[in-house]
Amino acid sequence: QVQLVESGGGLVQAGGSLRLSCAASGRPFGSSAMAWFRQAPGKEREFVAAIKWSGYYADSVKGRFTISRDNAKNTVYLQMNSLKPEDTAVYYCAATTWSGAIPTIPDRYDSWGQGTQVTVSS
């Protein structure tokens, strides 16, 4: 497993931007596909974006969010622009060594951060 620590959440008005960071330690960072999930109150955890060599996005965030990674810093980022109230959730960073196509379901990820709250006001 890898240890993950998220940061960068907060309160922002609709239309605003936030950048989340996830610092990793443990197994070699470059061997992991990294993802962001989110979970709103009363809802299931849902896929947001993932990256191994390139980014892959949920339809709901495509064109607004950008995932990137800096392997030298063992960090993955989620730049969130044009935020909407429906983006409000706890955002979780996750890692997997899954060797196939980048998974979009939580069960395929073996390491999780503690989560960071993102609140978008209307």
Side-chain angles (χ1 to χ4, degrees):
Q1 288 191 343
V2 61
Q3 290 72 49
L4 304 171
V5 179
E6 303 101 332
S7 60
L11 173 64
V12 64
Q13 289 189 332
S17 298
L18 282 174
R19 188 175 83 153
L20 306 183
S21 299
C22 173
S25 60
R27 67 170 175 248
F29 183 69
S31 67
S32 298
M34 303 296 297
W36 290 94
F37 287 78
R38 67 187 181 187
Q39 188 166 18
K43 295 189 176 181
E44 293 187 351
R45 192 166 297 190
E46 67 171 357
F47 173 78
V48 175
I51 186 168
K52 186 150 188 191
W53 313 117
S54 59
Y56 180 74
Y57 301 92
D59 287 344
S60 59
V61 306
K62 202 172 293 183
R64 300 188 298 122
F65 291 10
T66 302
I67 189 170
S68 61
R69 65 191 295 165
D70 185 336
N71 289 343
K73 295 182 178 180
N74 288 356
T75 301
V76 63
Y77 304 96
L78 185 67
Q79 177 67 44
M80 306 185 293
N81 299 329
S82 303
L83 282 160
K84 305 175 181 180
E86 51 264 43
D87 294 317
T88 295
V90 177
Y91 283 70
Y92 296 91
C93 178
T96 182
T97 56
W98 188 257
S99 59
I102 293 179
T104 61
I105 57 174
D107 286 353
R108 294 282 186 248
Y109 289 82
D110 56 56
S111 300
W112 292 87
Q114 81 287 354
T116 186
Q117 177 70 46
V118 171
T119 302
V120 184
S121 63
S122 57

